[in-house]
Amino acid sequence: AQSGAKSVADAMGKAARAGTLSGGLIAEFDQMGASAAVDASLIDMCGDPQFGDSVFRLTRDRLSRRGVAGAEALATAHQRATAVAPNGSAVVAYARYLLLIGDIGKNGVLAAGQPAPDKLVVDPAETAKSVQDAPADETVRATHALALVQAGRGTESFGVFDDITIFFNRLPPPMQAVLTAAASASDEPALAGEMRKKITSDALLPSEQKLLLSLPVP
């Protein structure tokens, strides 16, 4: 088993160095029954200065689908990636996401026209710049959408995804929750209601569940 785990780690490391590590390759290892080795390898590689940020993006997608069960491992992965790539787009997006989801989960989604709080935990101008820098990263866009909602500019939040193709059913539940909140804040209650029905709430953290619970039911 130990040699099998090393083989997985070696193969994933080689792919990461070549820039070919992907969800498809990871799925192949999962089908071989090597999921635990995949988890360990991803978390370990998040601490590599060469590709820590890009590997963290994959790791977040994987572990955030597990809700509370994946939270500790995801926190470790983020800590490792932050140490080697503090300004990486995926690393920064997740740090901002945690601030925003905690704040919005506590205070609720701002309705259209509702004034923004006196103090913003994340500046939408900063998240907008991040979208410009990494336009293909849906997690960066999701963070920007949440920042707009938090700033009382919720009507703009769903438009963040206008020029990118996103397959809702393939997203991790937390990202689905963000899109649902953005649709609701953008005065699309029927669409938000349909999205909400598709989300596996057990795969959300408590703060993410509060985000959904704060939305008006159409």
Side-chain angles (χ1 to χ4, degrees), residues 60 92-110 117 119-128 130 139-152 157 175 178 181 207-208 210-212 214:
R60 177 183 178 184
V92 171
Y94 189 62
R96 289 171 173 166
Y97 172 81
L98 292 176
L99 290 172
L100 287 161
I101 204 71
D103 186 66
I104 292 173
K106 179 174 60 179
N107 298 314
V109 172
L110 293 179
K119 183 178 181 181
L120 301 179
V121 297
V122 174
D123 185 349
E126 295 177 356
T127 55
S130 294
T139 64
V140 172
R141 288 177 182 257
T143 301
H144 181 43
L146 279 183
L148 290 170
V149 170
Q150 172 225 206
S157 60
M175 290 298 96
V178 171
S207 55
E208 293 162 345
K210 288 180 181 178
L211 171 65
L212 281 186
S214 71

Side-chain angles (χ1 to χ4, degrees), residues 141 155-166:
R141 288 177 182 257
T155 53
E156 304 171 41
S157 60
F158 201 52
V160 170
F161 306 98
D162 279 351
D163 61 343
I164 186 173
T165 300
I166 292 179

Side-chain angles (χ1 to χ4, degrees), residues 26-117:
I26 289 171
E28 291 182 18
F29 287 123
D30 284 335
Q31 291 169 4
M32 295 165 52
S35 295
V38 169
D39 288 351
S41 296
L42 285 172
I43 293 170
D44 182 63
M45 289 192 296
C46 283
D48 191 308
Q50 183 179 347
F51 41 68
D53 186 65
S54 60
V55 172
F56 176 72
R57 184 176 292 107
L58 290 169
T59 306
R60 177 183 178 184
D61 182 271
R62 179 181 179 84
L63 298 179
S64 67
R65 297 174 186 271
R66 303 176 188 173
V68 174
E72 184 175 349
L74 182 53
T76 299
H78 187 240
Q79 184 179 34
R80 289 179 60 79
T82 301
V84 297
N87 298 315
S89 61
V91 168
V92 171
Y94 189 62
R96 289 171 173 166
Y97 172 81
L98 292 176
L99 290 172
L100 287 161
I101 204 71
D103 186 66
I104 292 173
K106 179 174 60 179
N107 298 314
V109 172
L110 293 179
Q114 185 175 338

